[in-house]
Amino acid sequence: MGIDFSHFVKPNLKIISLHSTTLKFYFCLNMKKYVLFYGLLAFSMLMLFQLSSLAIFKVGASRDWILLVVAVVSIGIGIFYSKAQSSKNQIAEVSDTENLVHYSNSGLTEREYEVLELLNLGFSNKEVGEKLFISENTVKTHVSNLLLKLNAKRRTQAIKNAKDLKIIS
Amino acid sequence: MGIDFSHFVKPNLKIISLHSTTLKFYFCLNMKKYVLFYGLLAFSMLMLFQLSSLAIFKVGASRDWILLVVAVVSIGIGIFYSKAQSSKNQIAEVSDTENLVHYSNSGLTEREYEVLELLNLGFSNKEVGEKLFISENTVKTHVSNLLLKLNAKRRTQAIKNAKDLKIIS
DNA sequence: TGTGATTTCATACTAAAGGATGAGGCCTTA
DNA sequence: TAAGGCCTCATCCTTTAGTATGAAATCACA
């Protein structure tokens, strides 16, 4: 269910994360494209260098102009490359729009899930404790375990990760 | 004006309806940054060219190496530029496609909206400051104003309220 | 030319969050 | 019955968040 059980921080605390096989699969599919892309890139750079030699010796173009052309083309390549990468990331993020993962399949305990839901509603530890009839210290313990399991440094990040993992909505 | 902000304490936080003049204002503000950015870019390119001349005549570096350095640096500039742009465009795309209240109609300023977006992604004040190239103290100021405007006591509550108000997704 | 809005930054302070650790009780299961 | 997971609570400590206040720069608009 999209959970990686391979990372063990504590014996009973498993880090929840997006399944890695999907990414691996995607990577293997695109290896050919990567090789092709970088091969073409290297080839075109070489051609550019050769062209610059031709331009200098046959046409008599100035060195600054050659540099300018190379710089502009390279900036264009950089922008193109960056946009290609970012579009892939966007697709990966949007790709799976399914139902929520039940908390029992999410790696969280029932109590941790309850705490997480209240965090998502914007309550403080104290308020969560009042709503669940437990002490603030207990809430802190749940939140700490929550952060470990969701691989987050802050409650806001935990909420974000949990939403990405479809644990909460 | 979809939101009632009549409970404001500070006089400078009162929201007068924002028109297109506000956008013009921000456009002019950003124009200066653009001019500065491209000016610096052009200047650094010129310096690179001058350095290339020095390298050829004084050090005796080969032309291909110069071209390679220029190309690599330019690709880096392109990637950096593209990423800086895409972060802005992502926010704009999301706000348009998902029928959100535009930040100019939400009572939030553009900067506060940007900060809010990053809070929603789970970043700390320090990380937000690094991403927006401002100090952590400034982020704190923005967050404080954000909390007042969104009638929230915590950032998690601010995120929740902003989502209820369709300011963010 | 002054006023207001925005953005930026700073300092000093309080409140809340988070980390690390230990421990006791409850329940299920091997 | 022993073991392990879960829930509970606590303490000490550090980090982060948030409040209050002042101030300076920029720019639009009246």
Side-chain angles (χ1 to χ4, degrees):
Chain A
M1 290 297 283
I3 288 124
D4 191 353
F5 289 104
S6 60
H7 308 86
F8 285 80
V9 177
K10 288 184 178 180
N12 58 338
L13 284 181
K14 304 149 193 169
I15 292 182
I16 307 162
S17 62
L18 289 173
H19 212 304
S20 57
T21 51
T22 316
L23 294 176
K24 218 182 292 174
F25 181 63
Y26 188 74
F27 184 71
C28 289
L29 257 185
N30 286 301
M31 271 308 289
K32 270 186 181 175
K33 285 185 182 176
Y34 276 124
V35 172
L36 199 66
F37 175 76
Y38 285 112
L40 279 176
L41 184 61
F43 180 73
S44 58
M45 295 297 284
L46 281 176
M47 290 307 294
L48 201 60
F49 290 174
Q50 293 302 315
L51 274 177
S52 71
S53 301
L54 277 179
I56 285 180
F57 290 119
K58 303 251 168 163
V59 187
S62 91
R63 193 179 56 255
D64 283 356
W65 276 108
I66 300 295
L67 281 176
L68 187 62
V69 169
V70 169
V72 168
V73 170
S74 301
I75 287 179
I77 289 174
I79 291 177
F80 175 78
Y81 171 76
S82 181
K83 290 203 171 179
Q85 291 294 92
S86 68
S87 67
K88 280 180 186 174
N89 292 337
Q90 281 184 3
I91 290 172
E93 284 178 4
V94 178
S95 62
D96 48 357
T97 50
E98 295 176 16
N99 296 331
L100 286 182
V101 176
H102 194 264
Y103 72 86
S104 60
N105 295 324
S106 69
L108 302 178
T109 67
E110 186 178 9
R111 209 54 162 166
E112 286 163 358
Y113 178 75
E114 289 172 357
V115 171
L116 178 61
E117 280 194 319
L118 293 177
L119 293 191
N120 186 31
L121 295 178
F123 293 113
S124 68
N125 290 337
K126 193 176 180 181
E127 289 169 343
V128 171
E130 289 168 358
K131 290 189 180 299
L132 297 180
F133 301 103
I134 56 179
S135 81
E136 187 185 349
N137 287 318
T138 307
V139 177
K140 282 188 177 184
T141 303
H142 288 315
V143 172
S144 281
N145 295 334
L146 214 51
L147 296 180
L148 282 176
K149 289 184 178 180
L150 291 170
N151 196 27
K153 294 176 182 174
R154 286 163 291 279
R155 57 219 288 125
T156 49
Q157 201 175 17
I159 293 170
K160 197 257 184 183
N161 291 348
K163 286 180 178 176
D164 288 346
L165 292 165
K166 307 279 178 190
I167 296 173
I168 56 175
S169 58
Chain B
M1 277 307 292
I3 302 158
D4 180 23
F5 290 125
S6 57
H7 58 280
F8 282 178
V9 184
K10 290 187 177 181
N12 60 332
L13 284 178
K14 285 176 186 169
I15 298 302
I16 311 169
S17 61
L18 302 171
H19 309 301
S20 58
T21 52
T22 317
L23 291 177
K24 214 184 297 173
F25 174 66
Y26 284 124
F27 183 71
C28 290
L29 255 187
N30 288 327
M31 273 307 289
K32 208 178 179 186
K33 287 184 180 176
Y34 277 125
V35 170
L36 197 66
F37 174 77
Y38 285 114
L40 279 175
L41 185 62
F43 181 73
S44 57
M45 295 298 284
L46 280 177
M47 291 304 294
L48 201 61
F49 289 175
Q50 294 301 314
L51 274 177
S52 71
S53 299
L54 278 179
I56 286 180
F57 290 118
K58 304 249 170 164
V59 189
S62 88
R63 194 178 56 253
D64 283 355
W65 277 108
I66 301 294
L67 281 177
L68 187 62
V69 169
V70 170
V72 168
V73 170
S74 300
I75 287 178
I77 290 174
I79 290 177
F80 176 78
Y81 171 75
S82 182
K83 289 201 172 178
Q85 290 292 39
S86 70
S87 64
K88 287 183 181 176
N89 290 337
Q90 277 183 9
I91 294 172
E93 281 177 10
V94 169
S95 63
D96 286 340
T97 54
E98 300 208 0
N99 207 10
L100 293 177
V101 176
H102 195 265
Y103 71 84
S104 61
N105 295 325
S106 69
L108 300 180
T109 68
E110 184 181 17
R111 209 54 163 164
E112 286 162 359
Y113 178 75
E114 288 174 357
V115 171
L116 179 61
E117 283 277 344
L118 293 176
L119 294 190
N120 186 32
L121 295 179
F123 293 113
S124 67
N125 289 337
K126 192 176 181 181
E127 290 169 342
V128 171
E130 288 168 357
K131 289 190 181 296
L132 295 180
F133 301 104
I134 56 180
S135 79
E136 187 185 350
N137 288 318
T138 307
V139 177
K140 282 187 176 185
T141 304
H142 288 316
V143 172
S144 280
N145 295 333
L146 213 51
L147 296 180
L148 282 175
K149 290 184 177 180
L150 291 170
N151 197 26
K153 293 177 182 174
R154 285 163 292 279
R155 57 217 289 127
T156 48
Q157 202 175 16
I159 292 169
K160 195 255 183 184
N161 291 349
K163 285 180 179 176
D164 288 347
L165 291 167
K166 305 239 175 198
I167 296 174
I168 57 175
S169 60

